[in-house]
């Protein structure tokens, strides 16, 4: 079974400060971590690999100071890593990444299962995996908690309103994984060292593919463009709630209900 | 000036009016929740109305489900100019393919300019698939927008890192523009009971589902979310009086129980429940501080919370510096009433 996992990176929120009064974003420490949901997707893939025979390929295409994202994936247990690069690819949106990934999966000779994160830590956009499902014409299961693959079928647990339900699908399929789905494993120490030194069986497993060779320039034009940032208003002193205990309780209960809705 | 010249001028004016109307309007895909139109759909219709008025376009609602035709009235009342209804048993369940097929056919014919979804499970599953099929751009979890009039593109803002700041994106060329509207971000429109209309019924051809729901997942328990990633936290301190009330409030809100160092000293919480820079730093959407005075260490560990409610008997307690709602009262006086109101 061939599993492709899409990995993305995100600026560590501990290293940035959004300054409301100056309306600026300060990056104190530019450190990238794996998107938590993508890390869970990789863990799900590795659990399928542990339970049976599977090859796990991790793919990443975001520019970063070092190719940490993929090396971490390899250290956790992936068999092969593909780093996509290309100048015009740097500011790609999810629609462009989708068409590139479709080509990559084609060049890898297809896949039985594609796993991606259901959301991102920073922008909260969950469209990449689902767009890819549509582009490939495969079924999708969104926001799963656990996955089991057997005899060409896939069974996943996902949340439906209040309860968890079991969903079945044929393979190949695209599955997006919740960020809190599973506890990702720690990277194996020996693998980690070998991945960074480029030694042993790891030496050949990190490949760099140039997106410019695979796609025409027209296909790399993003649909969306950034129009800047906005900041919430500066924090002011809170509102004092006065009145009888019952009135106060009603105000608090209404406020809590409104914040917790949806 | 002869009459034919006037005719010509009027014809030109009519033509330019039709051009200005452009596209196929602003469309809202409705959601049904418990036999009613979902609140987020009404909010989306309100948002669509604002967009449509700036664009000089019409607002349309699409209502898919089983035995939902009577709900079309609420969409008209909220501000829709036209409603399309697809009423079929297959559209009721969570079968994605049937809904997708109906929407794709409809939108291919109508060529909408903007399509709005609610940012819930349905919107999250449908909007990206439709956007990919129709070659449109999609911006998810939109909380605010403005219109760039020259390109008729929506500049939509969505929260980044849970609301630390907002990123603004636009889709300048590709049409339709897809947006999913965050629940609660836009005001619910006034429901005008005198607005009425006659919905158009759509032909529904059920599609073969690609995934099957087998039933409840027996014996599956989601792993416990650690306190540092909790979305709702109820924390108690020295002035709480009866700590059982804090636990009951947490139960009622589906929240994590925590406390400050004082609560730990008193032995009512474990060491992994201390909210403190030396303990756990939290950034939940809602933080309720009950009887916590709020020293520097505690406040620094929770100040990135989205919404803070503080209850403390001392008017000068420093927790009130970081709270959004401040109640100056003994917790055991107000907590029972709050529990009663939340019932």
């Amino acid at each position: 079974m061939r599993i492709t996992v899409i990995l993305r990176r995100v600026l560590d929120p501990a290293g940035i400060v959004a300054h409301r009064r100056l309306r600026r974003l300060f990056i104190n420490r530019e450190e990238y971590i794996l998107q938590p949901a993508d890390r869970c997707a990789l863990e799900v893939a590795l659990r399928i690999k542990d339970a049976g025979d599977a090859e796990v390929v991790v793919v990443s295409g975001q520019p970063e100071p070092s190719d940490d994202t993929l090396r971490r994936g390899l250290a956790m247990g992936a068999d092969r890593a593909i780093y996509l690069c290309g100048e015009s690819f740097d500011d790609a949106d999810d629609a462009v990444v989708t068409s590139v990934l479709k080509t990559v999966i084609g060049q890898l000779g297809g896949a039985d299962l594609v796993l991606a994160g259901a959301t991102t830590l920073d922008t909260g956009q969950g469209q990449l995996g689902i767009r890819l499902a549509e582009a490939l014409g495969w079924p999708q299961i969104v926001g799963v908690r656990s996955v089991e693959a057997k005899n060409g079928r896939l069974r996943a647990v996902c949340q439906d309103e209040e309860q968890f339900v079991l969903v079945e699908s044929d393979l190949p399929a695209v599955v997006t994984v919740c960020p809190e789905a599973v506890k990702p494993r720690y990277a194996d120490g020996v693998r980690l060292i070998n991945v960074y030194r480029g030694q042993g069986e790891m030496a050949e497993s990190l490949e760099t593919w140039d997106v410019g060779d695979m796609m025409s320039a027209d296909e790399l034009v993003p649909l969306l463009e950034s129009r800047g940032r906005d900041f919430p208003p500066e924090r002011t002193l809170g509102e004092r709630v006065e009145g009888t205990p019952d009135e106060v309780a009603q105000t608090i209960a209404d406020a809590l209900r409104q914040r917790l809705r949806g | 000036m002869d009459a034919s010249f006037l005719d010509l001028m009027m014809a030109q004016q009519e033509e330019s009016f039709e051009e200005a109307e452009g596209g196929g309007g602003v469309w809202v895909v409705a959601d049904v929740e418990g036999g009613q139109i979902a609140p987020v759909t009404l909010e989306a219709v309100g948002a669509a109305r604002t967009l449509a008025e700036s664009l000089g376009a019409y607002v349309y609602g699409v209502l898919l489900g089983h035995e939902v035709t009577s709900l079309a009235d609420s969409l008209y009342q909220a501000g829709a100019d036209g409603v399309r209804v697809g009423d079929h048993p297959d559209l009721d369940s969570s079968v994605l393919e049937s809904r997708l097929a109906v929407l794709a056919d409809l939108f291919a014919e109508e060529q909408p300019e903007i399509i709005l979804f609610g940012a819930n499970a349905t919107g999250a599953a449908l909007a990206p698939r439709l956007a990919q099929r129709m070659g449109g751009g999609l911006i998810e979890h939109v909380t605010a927008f403005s219109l760039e009039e020259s390109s008729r593109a929506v500049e939509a803002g969505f929260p980044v890192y849970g609301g630390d700041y907002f990123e603004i994106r636009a889709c300048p060329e590709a049409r339709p523009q897809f947006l999913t509207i965050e629940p609660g971000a836009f005001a619910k429109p006034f429901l005008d009971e005198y607005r009425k209309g006659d919905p158009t019924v759509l032909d529904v051809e059920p599609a073969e589902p690609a995934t099957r729901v087998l039933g409840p997942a027996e014996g599956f328990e989601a792993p416990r979310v650690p306190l540092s990633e909790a979305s709702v936290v109820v924390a108690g301190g020295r002035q709480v009086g009866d700590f059982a009330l804090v636990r009951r409030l947490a139960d009622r809100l589906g929240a994590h129980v925590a406390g400050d160092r004082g609560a730990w000293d008193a032995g009512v919480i474990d060491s992994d429940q201390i909210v403190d820079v030396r303990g756990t730093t939290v950034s939940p959407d809602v933080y309720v501080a009950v009887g916590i005075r709020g020293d520097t260490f505690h406040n620094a560990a929770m100040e990135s919370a989205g919404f803070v409610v503080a209850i403390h008997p001392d008017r000068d307690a420093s927790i009130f510096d970081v709270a959004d709602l401040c109640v100056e009262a003994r917790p055991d006086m107000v907590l029972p009433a709050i529990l009663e109101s939340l019932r």
Side-chain angles (χ1 to χ4, degrees), chain A residues 54-127:
Chain A
E55 186 202 26
V56 178
V57 183
V58 287
V59 184
S60 171
Q62 286 173 307
E64 55 178 319
S66 60
D67 37 18
D68 260 0
T69 308
L70 288 169
R71 286 185 198 271
R72 272 174 217 166
L74 282 174
M76 273 173 76
D79 300 298
R80 194 174 164 194
I82 294 161
Y83 181 53
L84 305 168
C85 65
E87 253 178 55
S88 52
F89 186 55
D90 288 355
D91 52 5
D93 66 358
D94 288 327
V96 171
V97 176
T98 302
S99 57
V100 172
L101 285 173
K102 188 188 170 196
T103 315
V104 167
I105 289 168
Q107 293 198 358
L108 284 169
D112 298 307
L113 177 62
V114 174
L115 288 160
T119 181
T120 59
L121 178 67
D122 48 350
T123 59
Q125 310 281 304
Q127 52 182 303

Side-chain angles (χ1 to χ4, degrees), chain A residues 10-11 13 16 18 25 98 121-127 130-131 133-135 138-142 145-146 153 155 157 163-170 180-181 223-232 235 237-241 245-246 248-250 252-253 255-257 259-261, chain B residues 39 43 96 124-125 128-129 131-133 136-141 148 155 158-161 163-172 174 184 210-217 220 222-223 232 253 286 288 303 305-307 309 315 320-328 337-338 341-342:
Chain A
V10 58
L11 258 181
I16 61 168
L25 188 68
T98 302
L121 178 67
D122 48 350
T123 59
Q125 310 281 304
Q127 52 182 303
I130 305 170
R131 272 182 181 271
E134 174 66 28
W138 293 359
Q140 69 185 38
I141 306 181
V142 179
R145 303 303 183 113
S146 86
R153 289 254 174 95
R155 282 185 174 191
V157 176
Q163 59 168 356
F164 292 101
V165 292
L166 201 57
V167 181
E168 191 184 58
S169 155
D170 294 333
E180 66 271 22
L223 297 177
L224 300 181
E225 60 184 43
S226 181
R227 296 287 169 91
R229 295 194 178 110
D230 195 11
F231 290 82
R235 203 184 266 277
L237 278 185
E239 182 196 341
R240 296 260 173 182
V241 188
D246 281 344
V248 169
Q250 194 58 46
I252 301 286
L256 287 174
R257 227 184 256 123
R259 294 295 298 201
L260 295 174
R261 190 164 66 105
Chain B
E43 290 158 15
L96 179 81
R129 258 199 119 111
Q132 180 68 20
R133 194 172 289 190
L138 166 65
I139 305 169
E140 293 180 87
H141 299 283
E148 189 189 60
E155 295 185 323
F158 56 87
V160 183
Y161 292 113
D164 270 7
Y165 63 98
F166 299 88
E167 187 88 30
I168 301 168
R169 284 193 191 155
C171 176
T211 58
R212 298 163 291 280
V213 177
L214 300 177
F220 177 81
V232 188
L253 299 174
V286 175
V288 185
E303 66 185 355
F307 182 74
V309 177
R315 156 162 211 94
F320 291 142
D321 297 344
V322 292
D324 298 288
L325 271 186
C326 313
V327 181
E328 186 195 323
I338 293 177
S341 309
L342 281 171

Side-chain angles (χ1 to χ4, degrees), chain B residues 180-269:
Chain B
T180 70
I181 298 291
E182 187 68 10
F186 294 91
K188 194 178 156 195
F190 171 67
L191 296 181
D192 183 354
E193 285 179 27
Y194 295 98
R195 272 185 71 104
K196 283 193 174 75
D198 206 8
T200 316
V201 178
L202 298 169
D203 291 333
V204 179
E205 279 183 31
E208 188 64 30
T211 58
R212 298 163 291 280
V213 177
L214 300 177
E218 302 286 342
F220 177 81
E221 268 186 42
R224 182 122 179 95
V225 180
L227 177 62
S228 56
E229 288 161 29
S231 61
V232 188
V233 174
V234 178
R238 262 184 234 276
Q239 294 292 334
V240 73
D242 184 4
F243 204 81
L245 288 172
V246 173
R247 293 188 194 282
R248 274 175 57 201
L249 180 63
D251 255 7
R252 187 65 48 84
L253 299 174
H256 278 63
V257 176
D260 66 352
R261 203 154 279 271
W264 181 67
D265 284 341
V268 288
I269 57 163

Side-chain angles (χ1 to χ4, degrees), chain B:
Chain B
M1 194 184 291
D2 59 7
S4 64
F5 181 72
L6 260 178
D7 278 352
L8 192 69
M9 244 178 68
M10 283 174 72
Q12 273 174 349
Q13 268 184 351
E14 266 172 32
E15 202 177 43
S16 65
F17 174 71
E18 271 174 22
E19 261 176 22
E21 202 172 277
V26 184
W27 290 68
V28 178
V29 179
D31 253 328
V32 180
E33 249 178 42
Q36 294 287 320
I37 298 285
V40 65
T41 298
L42 297 177
E43 290 158 15
V45 173
R49 194 74 253 164
T50 320
L51 284 170
E53 267 154 29
S54 314
L55 289 167
Y58 291 114
V59 175
Y60 299 94
V62 189
L63 182 58
L64 304 180
H66 183 42
E67 291 172 358
V68 290
T69 313
S70 59
L71 299 176
D73 289 347
S74 326
L75 292 177
Y76 279 113
Q77 286 170 10
D81 298 306
V83 176
R84 307 280 191 276
V85 178
D87 209 328
H88 193 280
D90 261 31
L91 295 172
D92 190 32
S93 60
S94 50
V95 180
L96 179 81
E97 283 71 19
S98 298
R99 287 165 170 257
L100 202 60
V102 173
L103 290 174
D105 287 348
L106 174 68
F107 291 149
E109 192 180 314
E110 301 280 354
Q111 291 296 326
E113 199 169 3
I114 301 166
I115 302 172
L116 305 182
F117 286 84
N120 49 20
T122 323
L126 270 175
R129 258 199 119 111
L130 269 174
Q132 180 68 20
R133 194 172 289 190
M134 303 183 71
L138 166 65
I139 305 169
E140 293 180 87
H141 299 283
V142 172
T143 55
F145 58 71
S146 61
L147 202 66
E148 189 189 60
E149 303 220 336
S150 58
S151 64
R152 297 171 73 90
V154 183
E155 295 185 323
F158 56 87
V160 183
Y161 292 113
D164 270 7
Y165 63 98
F166 299 88
E167 187 88 30
I168 301 168
R169 284 193 191 155
C171 176
E173 275 162 32
R175 294 289 178 273
Q177 309 168 66
F178 288 84
L179 307 174
T180 70
I181 298 291
E182 187 68 10
F186 294 91
K188 194 178 156 195
F190 171 67
L191 296 181
D192 183 354
E193 285 179 27
Y194 295 98
R195 272 185 71 104
K196 283 193 174 75
D198 206 8
T200 316
V201 178
L202 298 169
D203 291 333
V204 179
E205 279 183 31
E208 188 64 30
T211 58
R212 298 163 291 280
V213 177
L214 300 177
E218 302 286 342
F220 177 81
E221 268 186 42
R224 182 122 179 95
V225 180
L227 177 62
S228 56
E229 288 161 29
S231 61
V232 188
V233 174
V234 178
R238 262 184 234 276
Q239 294 292 334
V240 73
D242 184 4
F243 204 81
L245 288 172
V246 173
R247 293 188 194 282
R248 274 175 57 201
L249 180 63
D251 255 7
R252 187 65 48 84
L253 299 174
H256 278 63
V257 176
D260 66 352
R261 203 154 279 271
W264 181 67
D265 284 341
V268 288
I269 57 163
D270 294 331
S271 59
D272 57 355
Q273 292 176 308
I274 307 173
V275 175
D276 190 299
V277 284
R278 301 157 295 186
T280 308
T281 303
V282 298
S283 55
D285 298 334
V286 175
Y287 187 88
V288 185
V290 185
I292 292 179
R293 185 170 184 84
D295 60 19
T296 320
F297 292 101
H298 170 267
N299 288 4
M302 46 65 72
E303 66 185 355
S304 60
F307 182 74
V308 180
V309 177
I311 305 169
H312 198 276
D314 182 1
R315 156 162 211 94
D316 299 322
S318 44
I319 188 72
F320 291 142
D321 297 344
V322 292
D324 298 288
L325 271 186
C326 313
V327 181
E328 186 195 323
R330 272 180 45 204
D332 48 2
M333 300 288 281
V334 286
L335 273 185
I338 293 177
L339 284 166
E340 189 62 36
S341 309
L342 281 171
R343 193 179 291 273

